[in-house]
């Protein structure tokens, strides 16, 4: 993990993406992150204090992305501690637990809190991804159906959503990949807007590579 | 003050004239003072009868005329040695006439009346206190002394003290009152000390023989025995005597040691301490009342005359006044305690209209405390009077305490407070009589919780006074500073202002008053204030701060636009809020100093919670400001090293100092909550990283465009020192990240977290912080890499151009190769000189990478142009030259480079060489084969001198090539490189038809030239063919190689050598670089034909499938 990274000084520049994971306490944000980064799962993990941070390289379409993942504390008392970290995010992962309706209902609050503190201008598309965790639970325990989730996402203009299980390592990698893809999609669209005469866009390759040289600045946006 | 005092005197005069009218003949003045004094005694707890008795007594005895007359009388009969001699009667008369405001006529009448009165009965009070060094009179070396007193005018009346046995320093402390006779001036007091000698028998005396001390003692005892024996009776023996002329005794009395003398004896017989004073026999109550009136009149008179400032008069009357008062005390027989009580009563009363010095009261109290503490010394009337008067004085004392805030803390105020507290401290030593209401509601409306309050002690009320005044003052400053229609910033300013005022007040209290309060009355003054303020301040501030923190205006800035204007308001808000935070923090610290024990319970200690939302804003502001300063620092950077020993420039140093201002901010904040601390540190590290990236970007913008050389010949980029400095600067800033994080107190926070939570959670936090730091460093290093890449990519065009030029100009002109070498060399030396090793290694790596890219690019673009092999050979040569010059030994080159080098080498080969290379590659490839699908050929070969002997023995497990499942096989041997062996016919065996195991058993011998014999990489290619019927379309069965180096050079016959079994193979790979290169040379016949044959050799039929 991190100790390895220090010695592994990158000799060429990576695309850095800041990812924030939001959601109510106990939906399994830290577990998602730990599963994704170190492929570990701890059944009895603590509440996150304020924030946690890990980074992980992810290869997608011949391009390496370094995800800087900020896992936040869901408890209300940590609100003033976590909100400062929203600014400069590239991707926002909204999480809930499929066995807890209230965590799903709170997605709207989390989305609004994020938009407010991350300083995202209204009507600007932002790469959100909605993640319903604990998909390993039996259907009797489920309180939020996939249809409900899709409906909510459609209403909120979010096109990336997935159900995961940090416990069974199900869809976790996919969730992060999906998030990065969503980011790429919006970035290329943003590029397209900047260069209006170039209206044929190959979504997959060329523009992504083109982005690597300038996406470093996104840390300050 | 003086004005009111005068008006009071006028009232007094008017009353006097009114009284005059009511009276015929003798003017009868009943001054108002006395009337007022009557209800004064009307306090609770006194029996009605007693009250009435007193009233009647005052009415009977007291008029101002009588008092005046009494005073005149006393002046006439002054006693004591001092005053009457110095101040003549006349002066006193005139003084008293002034003070009482009486006419000459009236004065004369009264004087005459006084002269007619009998002389007063004055007593001489004698206290025999102690004696020392008395001469021993008894045989035991001691005496049994007693004292005898008498006046020389009256020898018949003698007074004796008790006998103190067996001592030479007796203590008596006995009081005597000797009535004085008319002739005071000539009279004197005689004091005699005697040794008491009880009647003892001779036998008893002898019994004492064992107590006798020394020879002298024996002689004395013998004398005593003799006397006793002779007279049969006792006889006291005089030790010594003293005579005190009455005129030497001052009116105010004195205490003296007198030397005892004895007739006929020169030596001292001892010394005796005696207190002497005058007094008279008068009714005490009357005398006291008289004395009070006198004091009042004289004091008012003197105050008016001297026009002394308030709080200034501290008990000194004029000489005349003093004389009259002293005389009155003596002649009225007032004790010092009684006179002190009179003073207390009058001075406290006068104080109401004309403030007197508090020291005065304090001094009087000194005289009264002891008597008041002991129950019987002071009469109940006087005790009551004392407390009534105290009740008068106390409001003034409290007023001083309550007004501390309204005045400047100067010496005068401190002195006043000190004096007042001295008074209170003395009063605290006394018990207020049961049921006495010292703090009536009319005088003390401010006392809190009067109904429920049980503690009405002076101390508790004093604390109340402190708190009430503090609270009142707080409300006052709140009201005065609050503006109703104020905006957010003004509200903050208001709270800050209150905080500052309150803190100053507490500091003032600590500096000036706290010690006094503690010492004098045992009250922690500053603490009382602090407790009161912290509560009240919290009430005012909490809501404002919390609302403010909820509605802070956001600071909108991205990394590239730092627009001061649009951030003015959020900045100002944030700064004000922080000022307030610091203010309260100082206040809390102050509180911890003042109340180290119970400070934890204070509400204000949790003040930081109000600011929760503010910290994020402060951090944002810190970043914003840091970025502003960084921008400025980069702008001002002249890009020269700050000194000769370092390789970074001013903006790097500036940026570090900007980091340190963030650290200072953090230290100032000293956030008490551990979880918050941890999170904020994470945020700050991330922020500092943002600043680092920002700096890197600004730095690279700053140097962009530098080193571009444009002239008529070329456009070229040269690495300049500025570029290197920019890189070093970012490196310097990046390296500061780690130490910076340590200085944020990360370790301490983690330690605290361990205590607060669990070691495991703390460890996780630590891990997160480490990750954040590593990530921050990586992110900034990413910027370094980007800048390095920029530098190298800027070098690329020149490198490319020079490479192409060099390649085109063939070997005859190596000038451009030199130029390329020089260009790279110059820039690399600059980089090597200026950059640290790590970054230089990165550069080298990138240079090779870049070079690879350029070369690949050149190759790709030139393939179409059909460049001759020499073009590539030149490039290859140049590359090797560069590798030789610039490559550092231990470094691993990128794969791309060695690949490219290989491509160049191959592209640079002439076609023949290229073809031979194909075969060499095949030789290598075939060597690795294990099992052949095509069959095995057995052969052997040897050199003998320059002769090459080849024997082809047989073939087996051949693949069937013909439709009949068999082969018509022959073997041809190619000696390679073919063009070098053109003079030899290729050995070829006979054809063995329809046979999969042909036995050839043919030998060939070729005589080679020396050159041919020792050819490097010479190869024998055994090509096994299936003969076509017509011989035009022979099929390739398979092939195998024997390398020259594997052929033994021997004299032995071939038959003695081991057989070599060759696995037959076919070429498979058309993608090899060599083949590709040949394909690009299709224009050449040689290449074209080779490729055609090569493809034939690959064959088309599948192995092991029979037709």
């Amino acid at each position: 993990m991190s100790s390895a990274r220090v010695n592994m000084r990158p000799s060429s520049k990576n695309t850095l993406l800041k990812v924030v994971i939001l959601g109510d306490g106990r939906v399994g944000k830290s577990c998602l992150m730990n599963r994704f980064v170190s492929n570990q799962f701890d059944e009895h993990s603590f509440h996150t204090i304020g924030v946690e941070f890990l980074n992980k390289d992810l290869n997608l379409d011949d391009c390496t992305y370094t995800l800087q993942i900020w896992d936040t504390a869901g408890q209300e008392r940590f609100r003033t501690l976590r909100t400062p970290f929203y600014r400069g995010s590239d991707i926002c992962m909204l999480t809930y637990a499929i066995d807890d309706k209230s965590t799903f209902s709170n997605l709207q609050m989390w989305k609004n809190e994020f938009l407010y503190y991350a300083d995202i201008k209204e009507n600007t598309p932002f790469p959100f991804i909605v993640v319903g965790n604990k998909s390993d639970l039996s259907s009797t325990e489920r309180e939020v159906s996939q249809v409900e989730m899709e409906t909510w996402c459609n209403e909120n203009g979010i096109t990336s959503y997935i159900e995961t299980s940090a416990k069974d390592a199900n869809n976790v990698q996919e969730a992060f990949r999906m998030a990065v893809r969503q980011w790429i999609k919006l970035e290329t669209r943003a590029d397209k807007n900047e260069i209006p005469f170039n209206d044929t866009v190959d979504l997959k390759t060329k523009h992504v590579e083109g982005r690597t040289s300038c996406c470093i600045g996104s840390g300050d946006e | 003050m003086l004005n009111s005092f005068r008006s009071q005197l006028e009232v007094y005069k008017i009353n006097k004239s009114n009284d005059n009218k009511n009276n015929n003949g003798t003017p009868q003045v009943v001054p108002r003072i006395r009337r007022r004094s009557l209800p004064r005694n009307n306090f609770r707890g006194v029996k009605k009868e007693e009250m009435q008795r007193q009233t009647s007594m005052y009415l009977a005895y007291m008029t101002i005329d009588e008092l005046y007359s009494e005073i005149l009388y006393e002046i006439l009969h002054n006693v004591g040695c001092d005053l009457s001699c110095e101040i003549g009667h006349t002066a006193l008369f005139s003084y008293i006439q002034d003070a009482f405001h009486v006419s000459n006529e009236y004065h004369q009448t009264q004087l005459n009346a006084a002269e007619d009165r009998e002389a007063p009965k004055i007593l001489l009070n004698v206290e025999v206190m102690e004696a020392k060094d008395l001469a021993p009179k008894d045989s035991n070396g001691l005496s049994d002394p007693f004292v005898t007193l008498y006046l020389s005018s009256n020898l018949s009346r003698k007074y004796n003290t008790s006998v103190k046995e067996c001592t030479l320093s007796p203590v008596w402390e006995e009081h005597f009152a000797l009535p004085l006779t008319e002739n005071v001036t000539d009279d004197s007091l005689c004091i005699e000390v005697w040794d008491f000698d009880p009647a003892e028998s001779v036998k008893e005396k002898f019994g004492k023989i064992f107590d006798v001390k020394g020879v002298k003692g024996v002689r004395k005892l013998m004398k005593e025995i003799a006397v006793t024996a002779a007279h049969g009776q006792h006889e006291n023996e005089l030790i010594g005597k003293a005579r005190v002329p009455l005129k030497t005794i001052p009116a105010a009395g004195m205490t003296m040691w007198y030397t005892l003398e004895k007739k006929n004896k020169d030596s001292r017989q001892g010394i005796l301490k005696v207190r002497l004073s005058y007094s008279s026999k008068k009714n005490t109550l009357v005398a006291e009342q008289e004395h009070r009136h006198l004091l009042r009149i004289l004091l008012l008179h003197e105050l008016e005359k001297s026009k002394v400032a308030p709080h200034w008069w501290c008990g000194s009357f004029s000489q005349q006044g003093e004389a009259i008062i002293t005389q009155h005390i003596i002649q009225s027989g007032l004790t010092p305690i009684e006179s002190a009580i009179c003073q207390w009563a009058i001075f406290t009363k006068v104080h109401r209209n004309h403030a007197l010095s508090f020291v005065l009261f304090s001094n009087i109290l000194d005289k009264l405390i002891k008597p008041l503490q002991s129950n019987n010394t002071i009469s109940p009337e006087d005790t009551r009077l004392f407390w009534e008067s105290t009740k008068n004085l106390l409001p003034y004392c409290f007023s001083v305490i309550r007004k501390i805030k309204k005045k400047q803390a100067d010496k005068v105020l401190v002195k006043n407070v000190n004096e007042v507290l001295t008074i209170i401290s003395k009063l605290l030593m006394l018990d207020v009589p049961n049921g006495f209401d010292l703090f009536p509601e009319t005088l003390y409306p401010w006392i809190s919780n009067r109904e429920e309050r049980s503690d009405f002690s002076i101390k508790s009320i004093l604390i109340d006074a402190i708190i009430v005044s503090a609270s009142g003052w707080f409300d006052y400053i709140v009201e005065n500073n609050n503006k109703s229609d104020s905006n957010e910033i003004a509200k903050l300013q208001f709270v800050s202002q209150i905080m500052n005022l309150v803190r100053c007040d507490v500091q003032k209290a600590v500096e000036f008053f706290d010690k006094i309060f503690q010492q004098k009355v045992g009250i922690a003054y500053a603490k009382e204030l602090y407790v009161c303020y912290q509560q009240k301040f919290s009430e005012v501030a909490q809501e404002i701060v919390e609302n403010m923190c909820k509605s802070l205006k956001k600071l909108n800035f991205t990394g590239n636009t730092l627009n001061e204007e649009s951030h003015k308001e959020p900045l100002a808000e944030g700064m004000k809020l922080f000022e307030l935070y610091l203010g309260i923090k100082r206040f809390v610290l102050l509180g911890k100093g003042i109340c180290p024990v119970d400070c934890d319970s204070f509400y204000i200690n949790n003040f930081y919670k109000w600011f929760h939302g503010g910290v994020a804003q402060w951090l944002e502001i810190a970043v914003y400001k840091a970025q502003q300063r960084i921008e400025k620092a980069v702008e001002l950077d002249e890009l020269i090293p700050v000194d000769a020993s370092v390789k970074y420039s001013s903006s790097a140093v500036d940026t570090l100092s900007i980091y340190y201002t963030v650290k200072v901010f953090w230290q100032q904040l000293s956030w008490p909550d551990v979880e918050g601390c941890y999170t904020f540190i994470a945020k700050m590290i991330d922020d500092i990283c943002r600043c680092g990236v920002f700096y890197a970007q600004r730095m690279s913008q700053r140097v962009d465009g530098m080193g571009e050389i444009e002239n008529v010949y070329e456009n070229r980029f040269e690495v300049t020192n500025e570029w290197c400095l920019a890189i070093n600067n970012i490196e310097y800033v990046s390296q500061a990240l780690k130490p910076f994080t340590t200085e944020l107190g990360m370790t301490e926070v983690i330690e605290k977290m361990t205590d607060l939570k669990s070691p495991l959670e703390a460890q996780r936090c630590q891990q997160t912080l480490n990750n954040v730091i590593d990530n921050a460093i990586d992110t900034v290093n990413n910027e370094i890499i980007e800048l390095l890449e920029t530098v190298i990519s800027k070098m690329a065009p020149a490198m490319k151009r020079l490479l192409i030029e060099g390649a085109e100009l063939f070997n005859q002109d190596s000038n451009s190769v030199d130029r390329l070498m020089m260009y790279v060399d110059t820039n690399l030396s600059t980089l090597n000189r200026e950059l640290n090793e790590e970054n230089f290694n990165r550069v080298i790596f990138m240079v090779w990478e870049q070079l690879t890219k350029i070369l690949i690019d050149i190759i790709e673009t030139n393939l179409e142009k059909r460049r001759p092999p020499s073009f590539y050979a030149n490039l290859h040569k140049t590359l090797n030259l560069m590798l030789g010059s610039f490559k550092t030994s231990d470094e691993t080159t990128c794969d791309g480079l060695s690949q490219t080098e290989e491509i160049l080498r191959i592209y640079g080969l002439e076609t023949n060489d290229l073809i031979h290379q194909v075969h060499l590659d095949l030789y290598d490839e075939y060597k690795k084969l294990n099992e052949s699908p095509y069959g095995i050929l057995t052969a052997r070969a040897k050199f003998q001198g320059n002769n090459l002997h080849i024997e082809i023995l047989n073939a087996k497990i051949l693949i069937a090539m013909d439709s009949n499942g068999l082969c018509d096989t022959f073997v041809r041997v190619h000696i390679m490189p073919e063009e070098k062996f053109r003079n030899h016919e290729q050995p070829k065996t006979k054809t063995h038809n329809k046979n999969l195991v042909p036995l050839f058993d043919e030998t060939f011998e070729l005589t080679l030239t020396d050159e041919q014999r020792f050819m490097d990489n010479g190869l024998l290619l055994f090509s096994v063919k299936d003969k076509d019927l017509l011989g035009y379309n022979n099929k390739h069965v398979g092939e195998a190689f024997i390398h020259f180096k594997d052929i033994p050079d021997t004299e032995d016959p071939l038959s003695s050598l081991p057989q070599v079994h060759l696995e037959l193979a076919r070429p498979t790979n058309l993608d090899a670089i060599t083949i590709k290169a040949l394909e690009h040379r299709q224009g050449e016949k040689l290449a074209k034909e080779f490729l055609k044959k090569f493809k034939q050799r690959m064959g088309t039929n599948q192995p092991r499938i029979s037709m």
Side-chain angles (χ1 to χ4, degrees), chain A residues 2 5-6 9-10 13-14 46 49 51-55 68 77-78 80 84 87 116 119 216, chain B residues 554-556 612 620 675 678 680 683 761 764 768 771 774-775 778-779 781-783 785-786 838:
Chain A
S2 76
R5 267 194 71 84
V6 184
R9 281 286 167 81
K13 210 158 55 71
N14 277 346
F46 303 100
I49 299 166
V51 290
E52 275 189 25
F53 175 87
L54 284 175
N55 54 19
Q68 306 172 318
R77 70 187 181 97
F78 287 117
T80 51
R87 191 186 280 257
Y116 180 80
D119 233 352
I216 187 67
Chain B
K554 277 199 294 183
L555 205 58
N556 290 313
H612 241 295
E620 284 294 307
E675 291 180 346
Y678 152 70
F680 293 139
K683 173 73 180 145
E761 282 174 286
R764 246 171 56 172
T768 288
N771 288 343
D774 292 343
N775 182 61
D778 280 359
T779 308
N781 282 348
N782 222 10
E783 294 297 320
I785 291 164
E786 180 170 14
E838 192 185 355

Side-chain angles (χ1 to χ4, degrees), chain A residues 23-48:
Chain A
D24 282 2
R26 286 275 154 218
V27 305
K29 296 181 292 298
S30 302
C31 291
L32 272 172
M33 179 172 79
N34 282 321
R35 174 61 82 187
F36 174 62
V37 174
S38 45
N39 201 19
Q40 284 171 347
F41 181 76
D42 183 1
E43 188 96 40
H44 309 284
S45 54
F46 303 100
H47 285 301
T48 301

